[in-house]
Amino acid sequence: MSFKRKLCLFAVATLVVVFVFWSSRMGITVFMGLPTMCPGQPSEETITRLHGTKHLLVSAYADRRVSGKDIRIIGIFNRYSAQELHCVFCCQGSMSGQSPATVLLHSDNFGYPYVTTDVLCQTPAGCKGSHVALVPSQLRATTENLAWLPVRNLKEAEQEEARLPFNLTVCISVLFENFNNVLQAADLYILEMYRLLGVNKVVIYNISSGPELDRLLHSYSQEGFLETVPWPINWHLTLSHGWLFSESGGDLHYFRQLTTLNECIYRSMHQSRYVLLNDLDEIIMPYQHDDLPSLISDLQQQHPDVHEFRIENHIFPKTHVEPSGKFQLPQWEGVPGLNILQHIYREEPDYSIYHPYKMIVRPRLVEQTSVHEVLKKSGKSYKVPREVCRIIHVRTPLRASLKLEQLHMDMRLWDFHQKLIPSVNQALRRAGE
Ligand SMILES: *[C@@H]1O[C@H](CO)[C@@H](O)[C@H](O)[C@H]1NC(C)=O
Ligand SMILES: *[C@@H]1O[C@H](CO)[C@@H](O)[C@H](O)[C@H]1NC(C)=O
């Protein structure tokens, strides 16, 4: 090879090296297919085991609300095997040094060994980290033990609250295993009812669903109304079907409902001004407003410093059916589950004992939540008067000793029947196709 040729090759090689270096500093990934210098692969699972520990990791979110930390990783930790952890970042393709992580176990564990946990990390100066991983302090990070979590909300966090695309998102904690495996009439009612009530989006955590329900959920996802998040928690832990360890055993509370609610708050924080946390068998019903956004807007104006609106639960026993049968429609006969329009009798709650609530929150002001109350937030909480809004919860009676004449007649749902019935029919047709 002539000297000129060597010089030429050298110049080209130098240019390439300089360009790659420059582009990686600018955050541009040039040779997409080439392996990066960060060992291991980003996790594509919703639930990732933290190597060398008993803990599970769910997702990482940019969160600049806590000073000195800017990333929050939501996980499920075994509280009997506490461990010091370090954060590692993948910065423009190369791995950062390790920095100590702050591990915060949520206070509500209901006696279970596994508990929702936040791990806080700080991105190193100069690092545009889009992936983060955790390592137990005594381990060295290697290809085998690193599972990178993509950091979500990095850009979205700049969005002003007033410009968010959605007013209200409903987070349904978990699509239960077995329980809702077939299409249930009540699922349809509740999804359609929420649409009528002005909800922009529903997020559901899916453990498993049967083919009929699956088809239906896919059709809601396609139109953008529903987001289903895979939740294969049963691959990792022994689930409890109850909510108290001393009664039902298992590893964690009610299919890890608490983790999904927290995850949903962070997932929705930069999309939706308000988030409603509840289950698929309950409807948060405004009694003096036509829809939920107008209720929330009034409540917020009356109580500007409140960021958690608590809604009282009311039981409509499924044992009592409305006598006229006017909503006993022939086309719904083959569909299992409750026809909620037929249940119009409401129990008077026993206020002398504990009374559960569900919440509508401003997600940007919430750090941690439990099922019936928010754990860490800025701002105040407010119990919405029951005549303004209450939960319609059709289920087995709570106060079975009450006689029919001791129950209240409550036909608020009927105000929606003209729109609700055709929507449910349409959804049923879609699910059957
Ligand atoms: C949010 O609420 C405002 C005011 O009520 C309304 O004008 C707007 O259309 C709503 N946005 C969505 C996405 O529903
Ligand atoms: C729910 O999860 C099950 C099991 O992983 C899966 O087969 C099904 O397609 C999922 N359904 C939806 C709507 O995402």
Side-chain angles (χ1 to χ4, degrees):
M1 207 185 277
S2 73
F3 176 71
K4 249 182 166 174
R5 271 190 121 166
K6 276 184 191 160
L7 192 68
C8 192
L9 266 177
F10 177 74
V12 169
T14 312
L15 272 175
V16 166
V17 167
V18 166
F19 177 67
V20 168
F21 180 72
W22 169 82
S23 57
S24 68
R25 287 295 294 255
M26 302 300 285
I28 304 165
T29 311
V30 186
F31 301 117
M32 292 285 282
L34 292 185
T36 64
M37 283 146 70
C38 301
Q41 290 297 316
S43 171
E44 284 169 12
E45 309 295 327
T46 328
I47 302 172
T48 309
R49 187 167 286 282
L50 175 53
H51 193 89
T53 72
K54 291 182 168 177
H55 312 316
L56 304 172
L57 302 178
V58 181
S59 38
Y61 288 98
D63 181 7
R64 303 199 186 91
R65 298 172 302 172
V66 179
S67 77
K69 302 283 176 187
D70 63 358
I71 304 287
R72 180 183 304 256
I73 299 170
I74 297 175
I76 302 172
F77 276 35
N78 184 305
R79 62 194 170 101
Y80 301 122
S81 97
Q83 239 146 342
E84 257 182 52
L85 298 176
H86 277 104
C87 312
V88 191
F89 286 81
C90 187
C91 305
Q92 295 102 304
S94 56
M95 197 162 82
S96 75
Q98 302 189 2
S99 61
T102 306
V103 178
L104 305 169
L105 302 182
H106 286 213
S107 55
D108 54 343
N109 56 54
F110 298 92
Y112 290 97
Y114 282 83
V115 56
T116 306
T117 300
D118 295 331
V119 183
L120 306 182
C121 293
Q122 175 64 39
T123 315
C127 167
K128 285 205 196 82
S130 57
H131 293 90
V132 62
L134 293 174
V135 250
S137 306
Q138 74 280 10
L139 287 184
R140 218 169 50 85
T142 64
T143 318
E144 288 72 42
N145 66 17
L146 275 190
W148 297 103
L149 299 176
V151 179
R152 296 157 165 273
N153 288 354
L154 269 173
K155 287 206 191 72
E156 292 78 358
E158 315 291 336
Q159 191 73 268
E160 278 171 54
E161 196 183 26
R163 297 186 160 212
L164 301 184
F166 300 137
N167 290 325
L168 179 60
T169 296
V170 174
C171 296
I172 306 281
S173 48
V174 161
L175 196 55
F176 296 96
E177 193 187 28
N178 302 324
F179 176 70
N180 272 335
N181 243 342
V182 290
L183 178 62
Q184 297 255 345
D187 306 339
L188 284 175
Y189 281 119
I190 286 169
L191 285 174
E192 289 302 332
M193 207 44 234
Y194 274 137
R195 213 203 289 262
L196 294 179
L197 288 175
V199 168
N200 299 125
K201 184 160 187 178
V202 176
V203 181
I204 291 187
Y205 292 77
N206 168 28
I207 291 189
S208 67
S209 54
E212 272 185 316
L213 183 57
D214 210 40
R215 240 189 335 262
L216 181 81
L217 294 179
H218 278 299
S219 75
Y220 281 107
S221 310
Q222 268 166 8
E223 51 172 312
F225 183 61
L226 183 71
E227 178 177 353
T228 47
V229 182
W231 192 246
I233 187 73
N234 45 348
W235 299 354
H236 299 277
L237 296 172
T238 313
L239 298 183
S240 170
H241 291 238
W243 60 274
L244 202 61
F245 177 69
S246 54
E247 281 175 13
S248 33
D251 280 333
L252 82 179
H253 173 265
Y254 221 36
F255 302 106
R256 205 57 258 161
Q257 185 186 24
L258 296 168
T259 311
T260 58
L261 292 179
N262 282 277
E263 214 282 330
C264 193
I265 285 189
Y266 284 87
R267 184 176 288 263
S268 313
M269 193 171 276
H270 303 297
Q271 287 192 0
S272 188
R273 270 182 285 285
Y274 291 91
V275 168
L276 194 168
L277 305 171
N278 83 317
D279 291 331
L280 198 48
D281 57 351
E282 302 166 338
I283 298 172
I284 310 283
M285 176 63 87
Y287 277 69
Q288 297 173 359
H289 296 77
D290 292 338
D291 56 35
L292 288 166
S294 52
L295 163 75
I296 295 169
S297 150
D298 272 5
L299 287 173
Q300 192 72 83
Q301 262 168 28
Q302 290 157 16
H303 310 278
D305 55 347
V306 167
H307 304 130
E308 176 193 20
F309 295 100
R310 303 182 71 198
I311 317 290
E312 216 174 86
N313 191 33
H314 286 259
I315 310 285
F316 289 61
K318 62 179 183 188
T319 40
H320 296 291
V321 177
E322 181 272 318
S324 82
K326 64 190 267 195
F327 292 117
Q328 205 181 347
L329 304 179
Q331 64 267 38
W332 297 350
E333 241 153 51
V335 186
L338 295 168
N339 175 347
I340 52 174
L341 285 173
Q342 292 189 299
H343 300 279
I344 56 161
Y345 298 101
R346 170 162 56 79
E347 284 182 3
E348 178 66 18
D350 178 357
Y351 289 106
S352 67
I353 56 171
Y354 171 76
H355 193 82
Y357 290 80
K358 289 290 166 69
M359 302 85 76
I360 298 173
V361 300
R362 259 172 88 182
R364 289 194 169 194
L365 298 164
V366 173
E367 269 185 59
Q368 295 181 351
T369 190
S370 182
V371 186
H372 303 295
E373 63 184 327
V374 167
L375 297 176
K376 268 180 127 176
K377 62 173 187 306
S378 43
K380 293 190 183 138
S381 121
Y382 174 69
K383 286 184 182 170
V384 179
R386 62 191 76 107
E387 60 280 5
V388 174
C389 182
R390 56 169 79 103
I391 302 175
I392 297 183
H393 191 176
V394 182
R395 48 156 282 170
T396 46
L398 199 62
R399 306 181 67 193
S401 61
L402 291 180
K403 299 206 172 52
L404 186 59
E405 53 277 16
Q406 290 172 292
L407 301 174
H408 304 281
M409 291 258 263
D410 180 338
M411 286 162 303
R412 174 63 173 141
L413 264 176
W414 289 8
D415 295 342
F416 297 86
H417 82 269
Q418 277 184 331
K419 286 188 180 152
L420 185 60
I421 292 174
S423 316
V424 171
N425 281 338
Q426 211 183 357
L428 270 177
R429 271 199 300 277
R430 273 190 321 222
E433 272 159 16

